[in-house]
């Protein structure tokens, strides 16, 4: 979702299936391996055991041209949910409230909305 008034402000939400019982540490390890394949400096502030909106999460920041994306990665059952809060560099406040709501409310809804499509590789962005 992109802000209608600020082209740098957006919320990205992705999900991928993981083996049921995957731990946050296993998720952090998989993300760390994927990040090592990217150029240095793209992914920073990696925290494998953090909290966001009162939920256990892996967090990190992705640096792109003109904006940053603060990622929060959660586990819910057999689904990894990644929420990226994008803003112009230094303007994280622009998306803070909507991101807090997205992180707090993110859930595996596969049983209610059909099935989640499996992915061969999970997204880190």
């Amino acid at each position: 979702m992109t802000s209608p008034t600020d082209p740098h402000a957006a919320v990205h939400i992705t999900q991928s299936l993981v083996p049921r019982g995957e731990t946050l540490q296993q998720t952090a390890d998989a993300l760390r391996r994927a990040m090592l394949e990217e150029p240095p400096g793209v992914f920073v502030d990696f925290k494998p055991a953090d909290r966001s909106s009162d939920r256990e999460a892996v967090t990190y920041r992705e640096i792109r041209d003109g904006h940053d994306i603060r990622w929060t990665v959660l586990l819910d059952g057999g689904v990894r949910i990644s929420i990226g809060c994008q803003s112009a560099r230094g303007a994280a406040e622009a998306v803070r409230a909507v991101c807090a709501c997205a992180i707090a409310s993110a859930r595996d809804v596969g049983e209610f909305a059909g099935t989640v499509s499996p992915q061969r590789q999970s997204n880190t962005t």
Side-chain angles (χ1 to χ4, degrees):
M1 299 179 293
T2 303
S3 167
T5 59
D6 181 353
H8 289 289
V11 177
H12 306 274
I13 302 174
T14 65
Q15 65 181 19
S16 56
L17 292 178
V18 295
R20 213 168 255 294
E22 178 168 305
T23 66
L24 200 58
Q25 183 59 54
Q26 289 169 314
T27 293
D29 292 344
L31 290 169
R32 189 185 325 264
R33 284 190 301 275
M35 289 175 185
L36 291 173
E37 296 177 12
E38 298 297 322
V42 171
F43 296 104
V44 299
D45 303 335
F46 183 78
K47 296 179 183 170
D50 202 1
R51 291 195 71 78
S52 188
S53 293
D54 203 33
R55 295 181 74 181
E56 292 181 354
V58 177
T59 61
Y60 59 94
R61 189 165 48 103
E62 179 179 352
I63 299 173
R64 297 292 176 180
D65 248 356
H67 62 268
D68 290 351
I69 306 170
R70 294 181 184 281
W71 286 98
T72 297
V73 183
L74 312 163
L75 291 177
D76 190 43
V79 177
R80 180 186 305 157
I81 304 168
S82 301
I83 300 170
C85 302
Q86 177 180 308
S87 63
R89 190 142 305 119
E93 191 60 39
V95 293
R96 191 174 318 278
V98 72
C99 283
C101 278
I103 294 163
S105 64
R107 299 285 184 270
D108 171 10
V109 295
E111 64 186 86
F112 302 108
T115 59
V116 178
S117 301
Q119 295 180 343
R120 294 202 182 272
Q121 293 183 318
S122 65
N123 297 328
T124 56
T125 61

